[in-house]
mmCIF file of all heavy atoms in Angstrom:
data_model
loop_
_atom_site.group_PDB
_atom_site.id
_atom_site.type_symbol
_atom_site.label_atom_id
_atom_site.label_comp_id
_atom_site.label_asym_id
_atom_site.label_seq_id
_atom_site.Cartn_x
_atom_site.Cartn_y
_atom_site.Cartn_z
ATOM 1 N N SER Q 477 -8.596 -32.228 -96.801
ATOM 2 C CA SER Q 477 -8.591 -32.511 -98.183
ATOM 3 C C SER Q 477 -8.047 -33.799 -98.536
ATOM 4 O O SER Q 477 -8.500 -34.522 -99.389
ATOM 5 C CB SER Q 477 -7.773 -31.405 -98.891
ATOM 6 O OG SER Q 477 -8.320 -30.078 -98.610
ATOM 7 N N LEU Q 478 -6.978 -34.284 -97.833
ATOM 8 C CA LEU Q 478 -6.267 -35.468 -98.030
ATOM 9 C C LEU Q 478 -6.845 -36.657 -97.286
ATOM 10 O O LEU Q 478 -6.604 -37.907 -97.597
ATOM 11 C CB LEU Q 478 -4.823 -35.381 -97.891
ATOM 12 C CG LEU Q 478 -4.218 -34.191 -98.784
ATOM 13 C CD1 LEU Q 478 -2.600 -34.050 -98.376
ATOM 14 C CD2 LEU Q 478 -4.226 -34.568 -100.295
ATOM 15 N N GLY Q 479 -7.359 -36.329 -96.041
ATOM 16 C CA GLY Q 479 -7.631 -37.444 -95.137
ATOM 17 C C GLY Q 479 -6.440 -37.565 -94.198
ATOM 18 O O GLY Q 479 -5.275 -37.381 -94.605
ATOM 19 N N THR Q 480 -6.711 -37.838 -92.969
ATOM 20 C CA THR Q 480 -5.745 -37.938 -91.970
ATOM 21 C C THR Q 480 -4.541 -38.771 -92.266
ATOM 22 O O THR Q 480 -3.354 -38.604 -92.139
ATOM 23 C CB THR Q 480 -6.215 -38.175 -90.568
ATOM 24 O OG1 THR Q 480 -7.175 -37.069 -90.215
ATOM 25 C CG2 THR Q 480 -5.078 -38.178 -89.511
ATOM 26 N N GLU Q 481 -4.913 -39.967 -92.749
ATOM 27 C CA GLU Q 481 -3.910 -41.057 -93.004
ATOM 28 C C GLU Q 481 -3.050 -40.667 -94.133
ATOM 29 O O GLU Q 481 -1.822 -40.828 -94.007
ATOM 30 C CB GLU Q 481 -4.576 -42.396 -93.255
ATOM 31 C CG GLU Q 481 -3.695 -43.572 -93.515
ATOM 32 C CD GLU Q 481 -4.410 -44.816 -93.626
ATOM 33 O OE1 GLU Q 481 -5.604 -44.928 -93.504
ATOM 34 O OE2 GLU Q 481 -3.636 -45.847 -94.118
ATOM 35 N N MET Q 482 -3.609 -40.189 -95.222
ATOM 36 C CA MET Q 482 -2.809 -39.751 -96.236
ATOM 37 C C MET Q 482 -1.995 -38.517 -96.047
ATOM 38 O O MET Q 482 -0.775 -38.389 -96.297
ATOM 39 C CB MET Q 482 -3.742 -39.436 -97.508
ATOM 40 C CG MET Q 482 -2.960 -38.974 -98.797
ATOM 41 S SD MET Q 482 -1.621 -39.983 -99.324
ATOM 42 C CE MET Q 482 -2.573 -41.376 -99.998
ATOM 43 N N PHE Q 483 -2.547 -37.561 -95.299
ATOM 44 C CA PHE Q 483 -1.898 -36.405 -94.796
ATOM 45 C C PHE Q 483 -0.595 -36.764 -94.038
ATOM 46 O O PHE Q 483 0.471 -36.293 -94.315
ATOM 47 C CB PHE Q 483 -2.762 -35.480 -93.935
ATOM 48 C CG PHE Q 483 -2.015 -34.252 -93.419
ATOM 49 C CD1 PHE Q 483 -1.958 -33.150 -94.111
ATOM 50 C CD2 PHE Q 483 -1.476 -34.281 -92.133
ATOM 51 C CE1 PHE Q 483 -1.292 -32.019 -93.646
ATOM 52 C CE2 PHE Q 483 -0.924 -33.250 -91.607
ATOM 53 C CZ PHE Q 483 -0.745 -32.077 -92.376
ATOM 54 N N ASP Q 484 -0.760 -37.737 -93.096
ATOM 55 C CA ASP Q 484 0.452 -38.105 -92.296
ATOM 56 C C ASP Q 484 1.403 -38.794 -93.155
ATOM 57 O O ASP Q 484 2.624 -38.639 -92.903
ATOM 58 C CB ASP Q 484 -0.093 -39.052 -91.199
ATOM 59 C CG ASP Q 484 -0.825 -38.326 -90.099
ATOM 60 O OD1 ASP Q 484 -0.663 -37.021 -89.911
ATOM 61 O OD2 ASP Q 484 -1.485 -39.048 -89.240
ATOM 62 N N SER Q 485 0.929 -39.546 -94.144
ATOM 63 C CA SER Q 485 1.948 -40.150 -95.059
ATOM 64 C C SER Q 485 2.746 -39.166 -95.745
ATOM 65 O O SER Q 485 3.986 -39.345 -96.033
ATOM 66 C CB SER Q 485 1.165 -41.128 -96.097
ATOM 67 O OG SER Q 485 0.565 -42.203 -95.376
ATOM 68 N N CYS Q 486 2.046 -38.103 -96.259
ATOM 69 C CA CYS Q 486 2.769 -37.006 -97.009
ATOM 70 C C CYS Q 486 3.859 -36.402 -96.035
ATOM 71 O O CYS Q 486 4.891 -36.073 -96.481
ATOM 72 C CB CYS Q 486 1.815 -35.992 -97.398
ATOM 73 S SG CYS Q 486 0.613 -36.500 -98.676
ATOM 74 N N MET Q 487 3.453 -36.064 -94.833
ATOM 75 C CA MET Q 487 4.384 -35.378 -93.880
ATOM 76 C C MET Q 487 5.544 -36.265 -93.636
ATOM 77 O O MET Q 487 6.701 -35.849 -93.398
ATOM 78 C CB MET Q 487 3.623 -34.895 -92.661
ATOM 79 C CG MET Q 487 2.606 -33.792 -93.047
ATOM 80 S SD MET Q 487 3.286 -32.420 -93.870
ATOM 81 C CE MET Q 487 4.383 -31.699 -92.570
ATOM 82 N N HIS Q 488 5.248 -37.590 -93.429
ATOM 83 C CA HIS Q 488 6.383 -38.569 -93.166
ATOM 84 C C HIS Q 488 7.408 -38.551 -94.303
ATOM 85 O O HIS Q 488 8.589 -38.573 -94.038
ATOM 86 C CB HIS Q 488 5.846 -39.969 -92.906
ATOM 87 C CG HIS Q 488 5.129 -40.109 -91.547
ATOM 88 N ND1 HIS Q 488 4.003 -40.788 -91.452
ATOM 89 C CD2 HIS Q 488 5.613 -39.846 -90.396
ATOM 90 C CE1 HIS Q 488 3.744 -40.902 -90.098
ATOM 91 N NE2 HIS Q 488 4.708 -40.395 -89.474
ATOM 92 N N GLU Q 489 6.809 -38.555 -95.491
ATOM 93 C CA GLU Q 489 7.658 -38.556 -96.731
ATOM 94 C C GLU Q 489 8.506 -37.162 -96.789
ATOM 95 O O GLU Q 489 9.626 -37.195 -97.183
ATOM 96 C CB GLU Q 489 6.916 -38.798 -97.977
ATOM 97 C CG GLU Q 489 7.701 -38.779 -99.159
ATOM 98 C CD GLU Q 489 8.780 -39.963 -99.262
ATOM 99 O OE1 GLU Q 489 8.662 -40.943 -98.408
ATOM 100 O OE2 GLU Q 489 9.735 -39.886 -100.060
ATOM 101 N N PHE Q 490 7.832 -36.076 -96.498
ATOM 102 C CA PHE Q 490 8.438 -34.731 -96.495
ATOM 103 C C PHE Q 490 9.542 -34.805 -95.503
ATOM 104 O O PHE Q 490 10.676 -34.305 -95.839
ATOM 105 C CB PHE Q 490 7.335 -33.749 -96.069
ATOM 106 C CG PHE Q 490 7.959 -32.297 -95.976
ATOM 107 C CD1 PHE Q 490 8.590 -31.688 -97.146
ATOM 108 C CD2 PHE Q 490 7.869 -31.496 -94.878
ATOM 109 C CE1 PHE Q 490 9.155 -30.516 -97.010
ATOM 110 C CE2 PHE Q 490 8.442 -30.233 -94.761
ATOM 111 C CZ PHE Q 490 8.946 -29.685 -95.828
ATOM 112 N N TYR Q 491 9.360 -35.367 -94.299
ATOM 113 C CA TYR Q 491 10.426 -35.398 -93.343
ATOM 114 C C TYR Q 491 11.546 -36.356 -93.778
ATOM 115 O O TYR Q 491 12.803 -35.953 -93.666
ATOM 116 C CB TYR Q 491 9.916 -36.005 -92.112
ATOM 117 C CG TYR Q 491 10.912 -36.148 -90.878
ATOM 118 C CD1 TYR Q 491 11.228 -35.147 -90.151
ATOM 119 C CD2 TYR Q 491 11.475 -37.357 -90.610
ATOM 120 C CE1 TYR Q 491 12.226 -35.143 -89.036
ATOM 121 C CE2 TYR Q 491 12.305 -37.543 -89.646
ATOM 122 C CZ TYR Q 491 12.717 -36.520 -88.817
ATOM 123 O OH TYR Q 491 13.666 -36.625 -87.868
ATOM 124 N N ARG Q 492 11.241 -37.423 -94.411
ATOM 125 C CA ARG Q 492 12.194 -38.379 -94.881
ATOM 126 C C ARG Q 492 13.133 -37.752 -95.890
ATOM 127 O O ARG Q 492 14.430 -37.909 -95.942
ATOM 128 C CB ARG Q 492 11.578 -39.623 -95.401
ATOM 129 C CG ARG Q 492 12.607 -40.727 -95.715
ATOM 130 C CD ARG Q 492 11.969 -41.875 -96.455
ATOM 131 N NE ARG Q 492 11.644 -41.531 -97.765
ATOM 132 C CZ ARG Q 492 12.448 -41.388 -98.915
ATOM 133 N NH1 ARG Q 492 13.635 -41.752 -98.755
ATOM 134 N NH2 ARG Q 492 11.968 -41.024 -100.120
ATOM 135 N N ARG Q 493 12.479 -37.029 -96.819
ATOM 136 C CA ARG Q 493 13.246 -36.479 -97.892
ATOM 137 C C ARG Q 493 14.100 -35.118 -97.495
ATOM 138 O O ARG Q 493 15.156 -34.894 -97.985
ATOM 139 C CB ARG Q 493 12.405 -36.058 -99.100
ATOM 140 C CG ARG Q 493 11.776 -37.198 -99.860
ATOM 141 C CD ARG Q 493 10.965 -36.660 -101.051
ATOM 142 N NE ARG Q 493 10.055 -37.667 -101.622
ATOM 143 C CZ ARG Q 493 9.343 -37.506 -102.781
ATOM 144 N NH1 ARG Q 493 9.483 -36.348 -103.397
ATOM 145 N NH2 ARG Q 493 8.457 -38.356 -103.174
ATOM 146 N N TRP Q 494 13.517 -34.409 -96.621
ATOM 147 C CA TRP Q 494 14.110 -33.110 -96.305
ATOM 148 C C TRP Q 494 14.702 -32.885 -94.959
ATOM 149 O O TRP Q 494 15.018 -31.758 -94.630
ATOM 150 C CB TRP Q 494 12.971 -32.065 -96.586
ATOM 151 C CG TRP Q 494 12.677 -31.922 -98.103
ATOM 152 C CD1 TRP Q 494 11.733 -32.410 -98.792
ATOM 153 C CD2 TRP Q 494 13.417 -31.062 -98.873
ATOM 154 N NE1 TRP Q 494 11.777 -32.157 -100.152
ATOM 155 C CE2 TRP Q 494 12.852 -31.287 -100.289
ATOM 156 C CE3 TRP Q 494 14.590 -30.288 -98.864
ATOM 157 C CZ2 TRP Q 494 13.366 -30.610 -101.434
ATOM 158 C CZ3 TRP Q 494 15.103 -29.664 -100.001
ATOM 159 C CH2 TRP Q 494 14.488 -29.834 -101.337
ATOM 160 N N GLN Q 495 14.787 -33.992 -94.300
ATOM 161 C CA GLN Q 495 15.497 -33.817 -92.925
ATOM 162 C C GLN Q 495 16.977 -33.333 -93.161
ATOM 163 O O GLN Q 495 17.610 -33.794 -94.160
ATOM 164 C CB GLN Q 495 15.433 -35.033 -92.109
ATOM 165 C CG GLN Q 495 16.022 -36.276 -92.663
ATOM 166 C CD GLN Q 495 15.873 -37.544 -91.803
ATOM 167 O OE1 GLN Q 495 15.905 -37.400 -90.641
ATOM 168 N NE2 GLN Q 495 15.604 -38.658 -92.471
ATOM 169 N N PHE Q 496 17.515 -32.440 -92.344
ATOM 170 C CA PHE Q 496 18.783 -31.937 -92.387
ATOM 171 C C PHE Q 496 19.080 -31.108 -93.712
ATOM 172 O O PHE Q 496 20.224 -30.964 -94.199
ATOM 173 C CB PHE Q 496 19.870 -32.995 -92.187
ATOM 174 C CG PHE Q 496 19.592 -33.988 -91.037
ATOM 175 C CD1 PHE Q 496 19.474 -35.270 -91.277
ATOM 176 C CD2 PHE Q 496 19.514 -33.451 -89.828
ATOM 177 C CE1 PHE Q 496 19.162 -36.167 -90.234
ATOM 178 C CE2 PHE Q 496 19.224 -34.297 -88.713
ATOM 179 C CZ PHE Q 496 19.116 -35.690 -88.978
#
Side-chain angles (χ1 to χ4, degrees):
S477 299
L478 299 174
T480 301
E481 185 177 352
M482 177 56 71
F483 175 86
D484 286 344
S485 295
C486 292
M487 294 306 293
H488 283 134
E489 182 62 17
F490 177 59
Y491 178 81
R492 188 189 68 80
R493 293 189 195 180
W494 287 97
Q495 59 183 323
F496 312 122

